[in-house]
Amino acid sequence: LALKELHGIFQWLVESIFGSLDGIIVGWNLRCLQGRTNPNEYSVALDFLDPSGPMMKLVYKLQAEEYRYDFPVSYLPGPVKASIQEQVLPECSLYHNKVQFPSSGGLGLNLALNPFEYYMFYFAISLITQKNSPVTHHVSPSNSAYFILVDTYLKCFLPTEGSVLPPPSSNPGGAIPSPTPRSPAVPFSSYGMHHTSLLKRHIAHQPSVNADPASQEIWRSETLLQIFVEMWLHHYSLEMYQKMQSPHVKLEVLHYRLSISSKHHGSPAQSSYQALHAYQESFKPTEEHVLVVRLLVKHLHAFSNSLKPEPLSPSAHSHTASPLEEFKRVVIPRFVQEKLYIFLQHCFGHWPLDASFRAVLEMWLSYLQPWRYAPEKPPQSTEPLPRSVPEKWASFIQENLLMYTKLFVGFLNRALRTDLVSPKNALMVFRVAKVFAQPNLAEMILKGEQLFLEPELVIPHRQHRLFMSPTLGGSFLSSRSPAVTDASFKVKSHVYSLEGQDFQYKQMFGTEVRNLVLKLAQLICQAQQTAKSISDHSAETMASQSFFSWFRFTPSEVNGSYTGNDLDEIGQDSIKKTDEYLEKALEYLCQIFKLSEAQLTQMMLKCGTAQDENGKKQLPDCIASENGLILTPLGRYQIINGLRRFELQYQGDAELQPIRSYENAALVRALFRLSSVLNQRFADQMEMLCSRDDFVGRLCRYHLTNPQLVQKIRYSPVVRDRTSQNWRPRISLRFLASYRTLISLLMIYFLASWFYVGPVGCTFIILIGYFLYAVIMTFFFEGWKPHEH
C-alpha cells in the first residue's frame, strides 16, 4: 500500500489490535491470549507486534514522514486529564507541545502524537481500560501475550547489554527523525516551565532529518518509559497530585482557579468542589496491573545496574558518556521513584485484606532489593548463609528511605488486621521479615534515619534549592543543578520532595513502630497457638470417628453445637507451613529490632492462649451489661481472626429447632404433632406432678422439664430474656426420630431375636431397664436432661 493509505488505516489498525478507548471494539484481547490455549493466535500476535515485526516497521515508516495522530485527553488518567482541561500542563515532558484543539471544531482537547507515541499510548493504556472478556479457562497474567510483549519491549528499548537496535529505515543511509519541537496551540501555564528532557541536551539544535543515532536511541527509550509510567502509575487523588508540585506552581494554580471561578461561576467554593471532583478518580489496580508494574521495576533495576563503571577522570566522563549511559544513571530517581511510591501507598491503604495483596507485596520487595538484579554473581559458598547487602547500596537505601520505612509501617498496620493463621497471610509476613532481616540492611536503614534527623546547618536559600524534588527545576543532567554532596541533604531532599516540608517522620526503629512490632509478635504467638489447637482438634475429630459416622452424623451434630472452624479445611500440611512461616518470621523480627528472649517470654504470657478449666479456649473479650455480654474491640478482633470464639448451641425451643441431617423429617413432624396433643391434654396434670416435693415429683421433673441452659453452657452475647426462658413441663418424643435411636432400637430387637425374645417382650424389657436407669439418675442428677443427645 502507498504511504498515504497506510497513514489512513493506521488508527483503525491500532484500535483493531488493542481495542477502542471506549470499549466498543475489543481488539485482540492480548491480556487473555495464551500459548497454552491458543498457540496459533499467540505466536502470530507476538510475531506481528515484535519490535522488529511488521507493525513496528509500519510505525517507523510513518514516523519518517512526521505524521500526527490525535489521542483524546479525556481518556488520560484522571489527574492529568483534569490538569490539561484546566489549561495547566503537567510536568512530564511527554505532554509538552502536544495539546491541540480539535480541528473539526468538536468538543474536548487532543494530544497530537507521532506514530511511535500513538502506538505505545494505546498499548500501555489497554492494560487499564480494556476489561477481561469472559473465558472458560484459567488465565495466568504472567503467561499472556500482553505480559510477554511488555517484557520484549523493555528488553529492546531499555537493553541491559549493548545499545538499542536502530529502527529499520526506508531511506538508504537515512535515519528515522526524532520528534521536532512544536509550538503549542493553546496557551498553558506549565508545571514544568524549567524542565528539560534528557533528549533536549542532545538534539535540541540538530536538524530532524540528520538526527544523531544516539539521540534516536535515547528518545525511544525515554518515550517508552514515560508512557508506561504515566499510564500505569499516574493515578491518585488531588491531594497527592498537588503534593508533588512545587510551591510556586501551587500558587499559580490557585490564582488561576480563583480567576476562572470569579469570571464564570461567581462561586469559588463551587469551582473548587468541581475541580476536586474532576481530579479524584476511583482507581482500583488489578492483580495483573501490579504484576506488569513489578516486571517494569525488575527490568529497570537490571537496566540501571548495567551502567558501566565511571572513569577515574571526571572530565573524561563528561565527554565520553553516551546518552543511554546517562539515562541508566537517572532512570529510577528521575522517572519512577516518586510515582511508584504514591502508587504503593495507594495499594497499601486500599487493597483488600486478603491473599491477593501478595502481588503488591512482591512488587514492593522487588523495588527494595536492587542488588538482586545486579550483574555480579554472589560468591559460591558451601554454607547457605544469607547474603549480606553490599555497602555500595547505602546511597540507594538513603535516597529511597520512605520506601523502606513508611511502607514498612503501612505493612505492619495491615498485618495487624489480617488472619495470620492463614498460610498465605503468614507467608507474606515471613517474606517481609526475611527481606528486612538481610545482614547489614537494618543498619543501613538506621543510618539513613540518623542522616535525616541530623540538625540542618545550611544557609536557608540553599536549603530551599536542595530540598526541591529532582523532577522540579531541571534535569538531572543539567550542569546548573546544585550538586548535593552531603548524604544528609540527599535524604532530606528525598523525604521532603515526597511528603512536603511539614512532614512528621515516624522512625522505623523508634518507640512507636517498635510497639507495633511487639503487637505483631504477640499476634504471631497467638496465631501459632491457634494453629496448634486447630491441628489438635482435627486430630481428635479424626480419632473419634465411629461407626455412626457412616450414617452421616457426628458427635458435634448430635448435640446441636458447632465447634468447628473455617480453618479446619486447610489441612495438616498447611497448618505445618503456617507454623514454620510464623516461627521464622518471629525469628527475623527479633533480629531486625533486637528483641530479647525475655520480651518474647513476656509476650507468650500475654497471648491470651491459655486453656480454661475445661480444656477449651477462653471466650472473646467481653464486658457484662444489662442486656448480656457486649464484645469489646479486642473481642471483635479475636473473633474476626479466629483467635477465640463462642461455642454456638441452639438456645430456643428444642421442639422447634430445624430438622437435622441425622433425623427423619417425617417422623419429626409426626412425633411433634403427637407430643403437642399429649401436652395440651395433660398439661395441668403434668404441672401438678412436677410441683410435688417427693420422689414422684423429682422423677417427673427429670422426664418432663428442661434444665436451665444458662447454667450449663456459656452463651454468645444475646438478650438475656431469650436465654432465661423457663418452659412448662411437657413430653418430648423427638428423640425417637433420630437415626441413631432408631438404629440402636433395631440392633436391640435383632439381638433379642437371637435369644427368642419377641418384639413385645423386648419392648417391655427396654421400658423396665429405662425406668430403673431413670430412678438411679433421679437420685443423683435431678437437673440432667435425657434425650439431649
Side-chain angles (χ1 to χ4, degrees), residues 7-197:
H7 165 62
I9 67 170
F10 180 68
Q11 290 177 287
W12 167 83
L13 181 59
V14 171
E15 285 193 349
S16 300
I17 297 173
F18 303 119
S20 58
L21 298 175
D22 54 12
I24 296 177
I25 301 175
V26 179
W28 292 2
N29 200 13
L30 298 173
R31 293 164 55 187
C32 297
L33 188 60
Q34 297 202 343
R36 180 174 55 85
T37 55
N38 304 98
N40 295 331
E41 293 87 343
Y42 177 81
S43 59
V44 169
L46 291 184
D47 291 340
F48 185 76
L49 301 177
D50 189 79
S52 59
M55 189 64 189
M56 291 304 294
K57 289 180 181 178
L58 172 61
V59 168
Y60 294 136
K61 187 178 292 187
L62 296 173
Q63 184 82 18
E65 298 298 324
E66 299 188 7
Y67 284 114
R68 291 294 184 269
Y69 301 93
D70 289 340
F71 187 92
V73 171
S74 58
Y75 288 103
L76 292 175
V80 178
K81 174 180 65 177
S83 174
I84 295 178
Q85 287 175 346
E86 292 185 7
Q87 298 190 1
V88 180
L89 198 61
E91 294 173 4
C92 180
S93 61
L94 188 65
Y95 304 107
H96 291 189
N97 303 324
K98 292 185 174 68
V99 182
Q100 304 248 328
F101 278 121
S103 56
S104 59
L107 298 176
L109 296 170
N110 294 317
L111 295 179
L113 305 176
N114 63 49
F116 184 82
E117 293 170 337
Y118 186 82
Y119 174 83
M120 287 301 172
F121 258 85
Y122 262 86
F123 175 76
I125 208 169
S126 63
L127 178 66
I128 309 298
T129 57
Q130 296 299 317
K131 304 300 181 184
N132 289 329
S133 61
V135 290
T136 57
H137 58 274
H138 173 70
V139 177
S140 174
S142 59
N143 294 327
S144 67
Y146 187 90
F147 193 89
I148 300 300
L149 280 173
V150 172
D151 186 47
T152 304
Y153 289 153
L154 289 173
K155 289 178 179 177
C156 176
F157 297 107
L158 300 172
T160 56
E161 296 180 0
S163 59
V164 183
L165 294 177
S169 174
S170 57
N171 302 324
I176 304 299
S178 56
T180 55
R182 298 165 60 90
S183 58
V186 183
F188 276 86
S189 170
S190 173
Y191 279 101
M193 289 186 288
H194 307 289
H195 168 78
T196 57
S197 167

Side-chain angles (χ1 to χ4, degrees), residues 316-437:
H317 163 73
S318 61
H319 289 88
T320 61
S322 68
L324 188 62
E325 292 298 307
E326 294 187 14
F327 187 47
K328 291 178 181 180
R329 193 185 316 279
V330 301
V331 62
I332 289 180
R334 167 68 178 83
F335 292 95
V336 179
Q337 182 196 67
E338 195 171 39
K339 292 175 182 177
L340 181 64
Y341 172 71
I342 296 176
F343 180 81
L344 284 170
Q345 269 198 317
H346 178 87
C347 292
F348 273 58
H350 296 82
W351 201 278
L353 292 171
D354 57 20
S356 65
F357 185 71
R358 174 79 186 278
V360 179
L361 188 79
E362 293 298 336
M363 176 183 65
W364 173 49
L365 296 180
S366 295
Y367 183 84
L368 298 186
Q369 303 177 87
W371 46 87
R372 290 184 55 194
Y373 312 100
E376 65 268 13
K377 296 182 180 180
Q380 299 293 333
S381 60
T382 56
E383 300 180 1
L385 297 175
R387 182 186 177 189
S388 178
V389 180
E391 283 293 335
K392 72 174 187 176
W393 297 107
S395 60
F396 177 87
I397 294 171
Q398 294 165 8
E399 294 169 12
N400 291 271
L401 185 63
L402 292 178
M403 287 283 196
Y404 291 88
T405 59
K406 187 173 182 183
L407 293 183
F408 179 81
V409 176
F411 174 77
L412 283 180
N413 291 325
R414 287 185 62 92
L416 290 172
R417 303 197 305 271
T418 55
D419 177 15
L420 298 183
V421 182
S422 169
K424 295 180 179 180
N425 292 335
L427 175 60
M428 288 192 283
V429 176
F430 163 75
R431 288 282 298 123
V432 174
K434 181 179 180 181
V435 168
F436 278 84

Side-chain angles (χ1 to χ4, degrees), residues 628-647:
L629 298 176
I630 298 178
L631 283 172
T632 63
L634 175 60
R636 287 192 292 270
Y637 170 82
Q638 292 168 338
I639 290 179
I640 291 173
N641 291 279
L643 302 177
R644 296 183 183 180
R645 58 178 171 78
F646 291 100
E647 293 184 10

Side-chain angles (χ1 to χ4, degrees), residues 9 17 55 102 225 235 303 324 341 409 541 550-551 561 687:
I9 67 170
I17 297 173
M55 189 64 189
L225 180 59
H235 300 259
F303 177 68
L324 188 62
Y341 172 71
V409 176
T541 302
W550 296 356
F551 301 95
S561 64
E687 192 164 359

Side-chain angles (χ1 to χ4, degrees), residues 53 108 116 167 195 207 248 271 323 345 350 387 425 447 465 477 552 569 585 598 664 666 689 691 719 743 775 779 783:
F116 184 82
H195 168 78
H248 72 279
S271 176
Q345 269 198 317
H350 296 82
R387 182 186 177 189
N425 292 335
K447 176 63 176 177
R465 286 170 49 189
L477 303 181
R552 299 182 65 185
E569 302 176 359
N664 184 282
L689 287 173
S691 62
V719 181
I743 293 172
V775 169
F779 276 112

Side-chain angles (χ1 to χ4, degrees), residues 212-224:
D212 182 7
S215 66
Q216 284 288 335
E217 172 186 8
I218 188 66
W219 168 76
R220 287 184 296 157
S221 302
E222 184 178 357
T223 300
L224 176 84

